[in-house]
mmCIF file of all heavy atoms in Angstrom:
data_model
loop_
_atom_site.group_PDB
_atom_site.id
_atom_site.type_symbol
_atom_site.label_atom_id
_atom_site.label_comp_id
_atom_site.label_asym_id
_atom_site.label_seq_id
_atom_site.Cartn_x
_atom_site.Cartn_y
_atom_site.Cartn_z
ATOM 1 N N PHE A 1 133.109 292.881 159.683
ATOM 2 C CA PHE A 1 133.188 294.020 160.633
ATOM 3 C C PHE A 1 131.998 294.957 160.382
ATOM 4 O O PHE A 1 131.334 294.910 159.352
ATOM 5 C CB PHE A 1 134.519 294.762 160.427
ATOM 6 C CG PHE A 1 135.713 293.942 160.780
ATOM 7 C CD1 PHE A 1 136.449 293.300 159.807
ATOM 8 C CD2 PHE A 1 136.117 293.810 162.096
ATOM 9 C CE1 PHE A 1 137.551 292.527 160.105
ATOM 10 C CE2 PHE A 1 137.218 293.059 162.432
ATOM 11 C CZ PHE A 1 137.937 292.402 161.453
ATOM 12 N N LYS A 2 131.737 295.791 161.357
ATOM 13 C CA LYS A 2 130.602 296.717 161.287
ATOM 14 C C LYS A 2 130.634 297.556 160.039
ATOM 15 O O LYS A 2 129.637 297.733 159.338
ATOM 16 C CB LYS A 2 130.565 297.586 162.532
ATOM 17 C CG LYS A 2 129.445 298.600 162.577
ATOM 18 C CD LYS A 2 129.448 299.338 163.906
ATOM 19 C CE LYS A 2 128.291 300.351 164.007
ATOM 20 N NZ LYS A 2 128.394 301.453 163.015
ATOM 21 N N GLU A 3 131.851 298.071 159.696
ATOM 22 C CA GLU A 3 131.968 298.928 158.488
ATOM 23 C C GLU A 3 131.670 298.077 157.241
ATOM 24 O O GLU A 3 131.090 298.596 156.265
ATOM 25 C CB GLU A 3 133.375 299.516 158.407
ATOM 26 C CG GLU A 3 133.711 300.481 159.538
ATOM 27 C CD GLU A 3 134.158 299.747 160.793
ATOM 28 O OE1 GLU A 3 134.194 298.465 160.827
ATOM 29 O OE2 GLU A 3 134.511 300.430 161.777
ATOM 30 N N GLY A 4 132.051 296.830 157.241
ATOM 31 C CA GLY A 4 131.797 295.962 156.101
ATOM 32 C C GLY A 4 130.286 295.709 155.918
ATOM 33 O O GLY A 4 129.758 295.742 154.819
ATOM 34 N N ALA A 5 129.591 295.440 157.037
ATOM 35 C CA ALA A 5 128.164 295.196 156.969
ATOM 36 C C ALA A 5 127.451 296.423 156.390
ATOM 37 O O ALA A 5 126.532 296.299 155.540
ATOM 38 C CB ALA A 5 127.604 294.854 158.323
ATOM 39 N N GLU A 6 127.826 297.593 156.832
ATOM 40 C CA GLU A 6 127.191 298.818 156.306
ATOM 41 C C GLU A 6 127.480 299.004 154.842
ATOM 42 O O GLU A 6 126.570 299.366 154.060
ATOM 43 C CB GLU A 6 127.700 299.989 157.131
ATOM 44 C CG GLU A 6 127.255 299.976 158.631
ATOM 45 C CD GLU A 6 127.921 301.037 159.454
ATOM 46 O OE1 GLU A 6 128.914 301.661 158.951
ATOM 47 O OE2 GLU A 6 127.525 301.219 160.643
ATOM 48 N N MET A 7 128.721 298.788 154.429
ATOM 49 C CA MET A 7 129.106 298.967 153.017
ATOM 50 C C MET A 7 128.420 297.953 152.123
ATOM 51 O O MET A 7 127.823 298.276 151.100
ATOM 52 C CB MET A 7 130.634 298.851 152.879
ATOM 53 C CG MET A 7 131.119 298.887 151.433
ATOM 54 S SD MET A 7 132.895 298.703 151.361
ATOM 55 C CE MET A 7 133.102 297.036 152.007
ATOM 56 N N PHE A 8 128.444 296.694 152.520
ATOM 57 C CA PHE A 8 127.845 295.639 151.688
ATOM 58 C C PHE A 8 126.317 295.832 151.589
ATOM 59 O O PHE A 8 125.715 295.585 150.525
ATOM 60 C CB PHE A 8 128.137 294.267 152.251
ATOM 61 C CG PHE A 8 129.634 293.914 152.222
ATOM 62 C CD1 PHE A 8 130.197 293.312 153.327
ATOM 63 C CD2 PHE A 8 130.398 294.151 151.108
ATOM 64 C CE1 PHE A 8 131.556 293.012 153.310
ATOM 65 C CE2 PHE A 8 131.743 293.845 151.075
ATOM 66 C CZ PHE A 8 132.325 293.254 152.204
ATOM 67 N N GLN A 9 125.693 296.268 152.665
ATOM 68 C CA GLN A 9 124.241 296.508 152.644
ATOM 69 C C GLN A 9 123.896 297.597 151.644
ATOM 70 O O GLN A 9 122.897 297.475 150.873
ATOM 71 C CB GLN A 9 123.699 296.848 154.019
ATOM 72 C CG GLN A 9 122.206 296.912 154.123
ATOM 73 C CD GLN A 9 121.530 295.601 153.762
ATOM 74 O OE1 GLN A 9 121.707 294.604 154.466
ATOM 75 N NE2 GLN A 9 120.781 295.586 152.645
ATOM 76 N N ARG A 10 124.681 298.669 151.653
ATOM 77 C CA ARG A 10 124.419 299.747 150.673
ATOM 78 C C ARG A 10 124.565 299.222 149.235
ATOM 79 O O ARG A 10 123.760 299.577 148.354
ATOM 80 C CB ARG A 10 125.356 300.900 150.935
ATOM 81 C CG ARG A 10 125.093 301.717 152.177
ATOM 82 C CD ARG A 10 125.803 303.054 152.172
ATOM 83 N NE ARG A 10 127.247 302.913 152.086
ATOM 84 C CZ ARG A 10 128.031 302.829 153.116
ATOM 85 N NH1 ARG A 10 127.533 302.850 154.366
ATOM 86 N NH2 ARG A 10 129.351 302.733 153.005
ATOM 87 N N MET A 11 125.581 298.401 148.996
ATOM 88 C CA MET A 11 125.797 297.872 147.651
ATOM 89 C C MET A 11 124.668 296.928 147.251
ATOM 90 O O MET A 11 124.200 296.937 146.109
ATOM 91 C CB MET A 11 127.151 297.195 147.588
ATOM 92 C CG MET A 11 128.325 298.126 147.802
ATOM 93 S SD MET A 11 129.945 297.239 147.909
ATOM 94 C CE MET A 11 130.144 296.797 146.195
ATOM 95 N N LEU A 12 124.213 296.111 148.196
ATOM 96 C CA LEU A 12 123.123 295.211 147.911
ATOM 97 C C LEU A 12 121.844 295.945 147.629
ATOM 98 O O LEU A 12 121.072 295.626 146.699
ATOM 99 C CB LEU A 12 122.937 294.236 149.073
ATOM 100 C CG LEU A 12 124.013 293.176 149.267
ATOM 101 C CD1 LEU A 12 123.797 292.444 150.585
ATOM 102 C CD2 LEU A 12 124.005 292.197 148.128
ATOM 103 N N ASP A 13 121.599 297.022 148.411
ATOM 104 C CA ASP A 13 120.427 297.830 148.179
ATOM 105 C C ASP A 13 120.404 298.447 146.785
ATOM 106 O O ASP A 13 119.332 298.636 146.158
ATOM 107 C CB ASP A 13 120.330 298.947 149.257
ATOM 108 C CG ASP A 13 120.009 298.425 150.620
ATOM 109 O OD1 ASP A 13 119.513 297.260 150.713
ATOM 110 O OD2 ASP A 13 120.254 299.126 151.618
ATOM 111 N N PHE A 14 121.600 298.827 146.323
ATOM 112 C CA PHE A 14 121.703 299.509 145.022
ATOM 113 C C PHE A 14 121.640 298.517 143.852
ATOM 114 O O PHE A 14 120.956 298.740 142.866
ATOM 115 C CB PHE A 14 123.020 300.299 144.972
ATOM 116 C CG PHE A 14 123.136 301.168 143.741
ATOM 117 C CD1 PHE A 14 122.564 302.438 143.712
ATOM 118 C CD2 PHE A 14 123.786 300.700 142.600
ATOM 119 C CE1 PHE A 14 122.687 303.224 142.554
ATOM 120 C CE2 PHE A 14 123.894 301.493 141.452
ATOM 121 C CZ PHE A 14 123.344 302.768 141.419
ATOM 122 N N PHE A 15 122.392 297.392 143.961
ATOM 123 C CA PHE A 15 122.529 296.468 142.834
ATOM 124 C C PHE A 15 121.590 295.307 142.873
ATOM 125 O O PHE A 15 121.308 294.690 141.796
ATOM 126 C CB PHE A 15 123.986 295.964 142.798
ATOM 127 C CG PHE A 15 125.013 296.978 142.385
ATOM 128 C CD1 PHE A 15 125.903 297.511 143.325
ATOM 129 C CD2 PHE A 15 125.090 297.427 141.064
ATOM 130 C CE1 PHE A 15 126.834 298.449 142.965
ATOM 131 C CE2 PHE A 15 126.026 298.383 140.697
ATOM 132 C CZ PHE A 15 126.892 298.865 141.621
ATOM 133 N N CYS A 16 121.121 294.914 144.018
ATOM 134 C CA CYS A 16 120.422 293.606 144.143
ATOM 135 C C CYS A 16 119.038 293.762 144.759
ATOM 136 O O CYS A 16 118.807 293.479 145.961
ATOM 137 C CB CYS A 16 121.273 292.641 145.015
ATOM 138 S SG CYS A 16 122.957 292.474 144.450
ATOM 139 N N HIS A 17 118.121 294.251 143.969
ATOM 140 C CA HIS A 17 116.740 294.398 144.455
ATOM 141 C C HIS A 17 116.043 293.027 144.525
ATOM 142 O O HIS A 17 116.255 292.165 143.714
ATOM 143 C CB HIS A 17 115.967 295.339 143.545
ATOM 144 C CG HIS A 17 116.580 296.689 143.420
ATOM 145 N ND1 HIS A 17 116.567 297.603 144.421
ATOM 146 C CD2 HIS A 17 117.232 297.301 142.397
ATOM 147 C CE1 HIS A 17 117.183 298.703 144.045
ATOM 148 N NE2 HIS A 17 117.583 298.577 142.790
ATOM 149 N N ASN A 18 115.219 292.867 145.525
ATOM 150 C CA ASN A 18 114.411 291.650 145.664
ATOM 151 C C ASN A 18 115.252 290.389 145.658
ATOM 152 O O ASN A 18 115.023 289.429 144.913
ATOM 153 C CB ASN A 18 113.365 291.594 144.575
ATOM 154 C CG ASN A 18 112.458 292.793 144.528
ATOM 155 O OD1 ASN A 18 111.992 293.223 145.591
ATOM 156 N ND2 ASN A 18 112.197 293.335 143.341
ATOM 157 N N LEU A 19 116.235 290.353 146.543
ATOM 158 C CA LEU A 19 117.078 289.163 146.693
ATOM 159 C C LEU A 19 116.217 287.972 147.070
ATOM 160 O O LEU A 19 115.366 288.101 147.951
ATOM 161 C CB LEU A 19 118.172 289.400 147.753
ATOM 162 C CG LEU A 19 119.405 290.168 147.321
ATOM 163 C CD1 LEU A 19 120.259 290.415 148.589
ATOM 164 C CD2 LEU A 19 120.203 289.385 146.308
ATOM 165 N N SER A 20 116.467 286.844 146.442
ATOM 166 C CA SER A 20 115.749 285.639 146.822
ATOM 167 C C SER A 20 116.368 284.949 148.060
ATOM 168 O O SER A 20 115.714 284.089 148.667
ATOM 169 C CB SER A 20 115.737 284.633 145.653
ATOM 170 O OG SER A 20 117.040 284.196 145.345
ATOM 171 N N VAL A 21 117.590 285.294 148.383
ATOM 172 C CA VAL A 21 118.233 284.769 149.578
ATOM 173 C C VAL A 21 118.155 285.784 150.710
ATOM 174 O O VAL A 21 118.149 286.999 150.462
ATOM 175 C CB VAL A 21 119.712 284.397 149.299
ATOM 176 C CG1 VAL A 21 119.825 283.230 148.383
ATOM 177 C CG2 VAL A 21 120.482 285.584 148.763
ATOM 178 N N GLU A 22 117.988 285.282 151.889
ATOM 179 C CA GLU A 22 117.965 286.161 153.078
ATOM 180 C C GLU A 22 119.409 286.389 153.537
ATOM 181 O O GLU A 22 120.144 285.443 153.774
ATOM 182 C CB GLU A 22 117.149 285.520 154.178
ATOM 183 C CG GLU A 22 117.139 286.379 155.483
ATOM 184 C CD GLU A 22 116.466 285.623 156.600
ATOM 185 O OE1 GLU A 22 115.837 284.524 156.361
ATOM 186 O OE2 GLU A 22 116.533 286.111 157.734
ATOM 187 N N ILE A 23 119.783 287.655 153.668
ATOM 188 C CA ILE A 23 121.137 288.011 154.087
ATOM 189 C C ILE A 23 121.104 288.493 155.530
ATOM 190 O O ILE A 23 120.360 289.396 155.873
ATOM 191 C CB ILE A 23 121.753 289.118 153.198
ATOM 192 C CG1 ILE A 23 121.733 288.704 151.726
ATOM 193 C CG2 ILE A 23 123.156 289.452 153.659
ATOM 194 C CD1 ILE A 23 122.512 287.462 151.414
ATOM 195 N N ASP A 24 121.963 287.869 156.339
ATOM 196 C CA ASP A 24 122.076 288.259 157.720
ATOM 197 C C ASP A 24 123.554 288.608 157.979
ATOM 198 O O ASP A 24 124.427 287.897 157.532
ATOM 199 C CB ASP A 24 121.629 287.116 158.650
ATOM 200 C CG ASP A 24 121.729 287.471 160.109
ATOM 201 O OD1 ASP A 24 121.392 288.617 160.467
ATOM 202 O OD2 ASP A 24 122.153 286.615 160.916
ATOM 203 N N PHE A 25 123.771 289.721 158.680
ATOM 204 C CA PHE A 25 125.152 290.121 159.007
ATOM 205 C C PHE A 25 125.429 289.815 160.472
ATOM 206 O O PHE A 25 124.669 290.166 161.353
ATOM 207 C CB PHE A 25 125.354 291.590 158.743
ATOM 208 C CG PHE A 25 125.370 291.977 157.285
ATOM 209 C CD1 PHE A 25 124.269 292.549 156.680
ATOM 210 C CD2 PHE A 25 126.500 291.774 156.526
ATOM 211 C CE1 PHE A 25 124.280 292.891 155.344
ATOM 212 C CE2 PHE A 25 126.511 292.097 155.201
ATOM 213 C CZ PHE A 25 125.390 292.655 154.603
ATOM 214 N N ASN A 26 126.526 289.110 160.723
ATOM 215 C CA ASN A 26 127.040 288.911 162.060
ATOM 216 C C ASN A 26 128.278 289.766 162.224
ATOM 217 O O ASN A 26 129.288 289.552 161.528
ATOM 218 C CB ASN A 26 127.364 287.428 162.278
ATOM 219 C CG ASN A 26 127.925 287.178 163.666
ATOM 220 O OD1 ASN A 26 127.482 287.801 164.638
ATOM 221 N ND2 ASN A 26 128.912 286.302 163.772
ATOM 222 N N ILE A 27 128.224 290.727 163.128
ATOM 223 C CA ILE A 27 129.323 291.672 163.300
ATOM 224 C C ILE A 27 130.421 291.069 164.133
ATOM 225 O O ILE A 27 130.193 290.554 165.239
ATOM 226 C CB ILE A 27 128.812 292.978 163.949
ATOM 227 C CG1 ILE A 27 127.643 293.560 163.168
ATOM 228 C CG2 ILE A 27 129.941 293.979 164.116
ATOM 229 C CD1 ILE A 27 127.970 293.867 161.757
ATOM 230 N N ILE A 28 131.627 291.070 163.573
ATOM 231 C CA ILE A 28 132.780 290.542 164.295
ATOM 232 C C ILE A 28 133.720 291.665 164.670
ATOM 233 O O ILE A 28 133.605 292.788 164.161
ATOM 234 C CB ILE A 28 133.534 289.497 163.433
ATOM 235 C CG1 ILE A 28 134.087 290.124 162.136
ATOM 236 C CG2 ILE A 28 132.615 288.313 163.089
ATOM 237 C CD1 ILE A 28 134.938 289.179 161.305
ATOM 238 N N LYS A 29 134.617 291.381 165.558
ATOM 239 C CA LYS A 29 135.615 292.362 166.006
ATOM 240 C C LYS A 29 137.021 291.710 165.974
ATOM 241 O O LYS A 29 137.117 290.471 165.950
ATOM 242 C CB LYS A 29 135.297 292.809 167.449
ATOM 243 C CG LYS A 29 133.937 293.498 167.584
ATOM 244 C CD LYS A 29 133.678 293.863 169.049
ATOM 245 C CE LYS A 29 132.331 294.538 169.209
ATOM 246 N NZ LYS A 29 132.029 294.873 170.633
ATOM 247 N N PRO A 30 138.055 292.504 165.970
ATOM 248 C CA PRO A 30 139.401 291.950 165.937
ATOM 249 C C PRO A 30 139.792 291.428 167.341
ATOM 250 O O PRO A 30 140.594 292.051 168.058
ATOM 251 C CB PRO A 30 140.266 293.127 165.519
ATOM 252 C CG PRO A 30 139.528 294.343 165.976
ATOM 253 C CD PRO A 30 138.066 293.994 165.823
#
């Protein structure tokens, strides 16, 4: 969900600098 993508991105930005994998978010809805 949109809120999940925003939350996970913030966590990745904080904990996971220079990720070797490319992360793409696909926003889903209920």
Side-chain angles (χ1 to χ4, degrees):
F1 295 98
K2 181 176 182 292
E3 296 82 0
E6 294 171 350
M7 174 181 65
F8 296 135
Q9 187 61 65
R10 289 196 299 270
M11 296 174 72
L12 290 170
D13 290 342
F14 187 85
F15 290 107
C16 307
H17 301 290
N18 301 316
L19 279 173
S20 64
V21 291
E22 177 186 351
I23 304 299
D24 181 40
F25 289 101
N26 179 38
I27 305 303
I28 63 176
K29 298 178 181 179

